[in-house]
Amino acid sequence: MRVLVVGSGAREHALVRAIARSHLVTAVFCAPGNPGIAALAGLVPIAATDVQALTEFAAANAIDLVVPGPEAPLVLGLTDALAARGIRCCGPTAAAARLEGSKQFTKEVADAAGIPTARWEAFTDTHHALDFVRRRGAPIVVKADGLAAGKGVVVAETEAEAAAAVIACLREGSFGAAGATVVIEECLVGQEVSVFALCDGRDAIFLGAARDHKRVGDGDRGPNTGGMGAIAPPPGFTHATQIAVMDGIIHPALAEMERRGTPFTGILFAGLMLTEHGPKLIEFNVRFGDPEAETLLPLLDSDILPLLLAASEGRLAGSSLAWRAEASVSVVMAAAGYPGAYQRGSAITGLAAAEAGAEVSVFQAGTRLEHDTLVADGGRVLVINATAPSLAEARARAYAAVDAIDWPQGFCRRDIGAHF
Ligand code: AMP
Ligand code: GLY
């Protein structure tokens, strides 16, 4: 099989590595990829959002399966454009990708499907929204309806904070069209977890659970980021929790999407709160998580490609995946200043020494080659993953690998997986 992976981060590096190991694969391409991916796949200089050029490339190069990493090409209709040319894609259509694009849509699907989630209401009118905040009181959560680069959610501890968030969205237009509607919802209490399911429109198989570490600083302090590290499996995530999530959240969501005539194919990412009343849905994303993919894929014992293909062809029923019963820890190395302003171009060495550690993988995200030197070229730059029989050992291996990397302009959290 000839496979095209779309994207350029550490998640795509991990996907390419898993796919390149498949017994089915004859060629792997990645658009646009990065220097780490170049060692495993042919790089194609097409942006992940250039749906037309990606489709032309796939058609001209006899690609059998396209595997998109990020949501942007999916929201823009990559799956639809490929389908029109008879090319399979393991990702949702634009219509099904609305599960990530609109929080109100997700809440409507959740309610129609009987999925446990925070009680909510949507508003376009500032007065009605402020009135609702006053009646409900704090803590309360205010969300811009659309995609707001991870900045559209305020978990307000006070009514004043919630009111400010409503005004920023609805009156000041801080998030443009994405904030023209706000969803205001009950504040859930518990541990957060990311759960992944591979879906074929009707059936789904569990693709693992992980815990992300979203704040930039140790002890979960400082601003939110795209994710500074992840662990798997999340402590406290039992087999019973897995069944509750698959039966109570994933399968009902698929049935509701099918009923609406927009069946969901691809990787469904459920962001959940494990509350005292069971798992509750916070949000859906329509893709693998980053750094969750880098954390889960190294634990996979099965060949993933036949399953990605089966999902894209609607024939997952009866499939299963085998996992190593081990722990996995991923530590993100970011450029100093991230998630604020940061500099590009600092040299990184020591990757080979880092990867010499047992069960260690170094996935590249924001990197670039300058002559023969690897340099930082983004906020999140490297993801160092290690697996081991226990979480403590995986942590120790991951941080030993981090310490082997020579990059004075980089930093990482020192407590990934430590607070359990
Ligand atoms: P979202 O973009 O919907 O994932 O929200 C971003 C973050 O806000 C989540 O990862 C949670 O930490 C937090 N959050 C969102 N909704 C709620 C909620 N109803 N209760 C508590 N925390 C929430
Ligand atoms: N790690 C969270 C995400 O990929 O959105």
Side-chain angles (χ1 to χ4, degrees), residues 129-147:
L130 292 176
D131 195 46
F132 183 76
V133 167
R134 265 192 299 276
R135 278 187 285 121
R136 280 292 160 85
I140 195 161
V141 182
V142 179
K143 303 181 171 187
D145 175 56
L147 294 175

Side-chain angles (χ1 to χ4, degrees), residues 231-233 295 298-300 323-330 357-361 385-399:
I231 61 167
T295 311
L299 290 175
L300 192 60
W323 300 88
R324 276 189 293 137
E326 295 207 331
S328 181
V329 171
S330 293
E359 303 297 334
V360 169
S361 314
N385 172 267
T387 61
S390 73
L391 181 62
E393 286 167 89
R395 238 180 81 68
R397 284 179 177 175
Y399 279 109

Side-chain angles (χ1 to χ4, degrees), residues 183-203:
V183 169
I184 305 185
E185 64 181 41
E186 168 198 6
C187 189
L188 299 173
V189 178
Q191 292 271 12
E192 269 186 80
V193 57
S194 310
V195 173
F196 302 90
L198 182 61
C199 307
D200 74 355
R202 178 166 296 176
D203 290 300

Side-chain angles (χ1 to χ4, degrees), residues 166-375:
V166 166
I167 288 167
C169 264
L170 294 182
R171 192 174 288 160
E172 293 166 358
S174 301
F175 301 112
T181 298
V182 290
V183 169
I184 305 185
E185 64 181 41
E186 168 198 6
C187 189
L188 299 173
V189 178
Q191 292 271 12
E192 269 186 80
V193 57
S194 310
V195 173
F196 302 90
L198 182 61
C199 307
D200 74 355
R202 178 166 296 176
D203 290 300
I205 57 174
F206 181 66
L207 206 53
R211 178 160 297 139
D212 194 2
H213 293 57
K214 286 185 180 155
R215 301 285 184 145
V216 74
D218 285 13
D220 279 332
R221 294 204 185 81
N224 255 329
T225 69
M228 292 300 291
I231 61 167
F237 191 90
T238 61
H239 189 66
T241 318
Q242 177 184 326
I243 306 262
V245 173
M246 293 304 289
D247 291 354
I249 296 177
I250 302 293
H251 280 114
L254 291 188
E256 176 60 17
M257 291 300 282
E258 193 181 19
R259 193 189 66 73
R260 289 170 179 244
T262 53
F264 184 92
T265 298
I267 295 174
L268 187 58
F269 169 163
L272 306 175
M273 193 73 88
L274 302 181
T275 75
E276 57 179 2
H277 304 296
K280 291 196 180 185
L281 179 71
I282 296 176
E283 61 162 355
F284 280 129
N285 296 301
V286 300
R287 51 170 175 82
F288 228 147
D290 187 349
E292 289 95 328
E294 301 93 296
T295 311
L296 290 169
L297 289 170
L299 290 175
L300 192 60
D301 241 352
S302 308
D303 184 345
I304 197 169
L305 189 53
L307 288 168
L308 298 177
L309 182 66
S312 75
E313 293 178 337
R315 48 175 187 78
L316 262 188
S319 307
S320 62
L321 283 169
W323 300 88
R324 276 189 293 137
E326 295 207 331
S328 181
V329 171
S330 293
V331 178
V332 173
M333 295 188 79
Y338 175 82
Y342 53 82
Q343 295 209 322
R344 296 171 192 261
S346 49
I348 304 167
T349 58
L351 260 53
E355 285 202 288
E359 303 297 334
V360 169
S361 314
V362 177
F363 298 113
Q364 297 187 27
T367 58
R368 161 169 68 85
L369 274 180
E370 213 169 81
H371 308 296
D372 279 338
T373 307
L374 191 70
V375 302

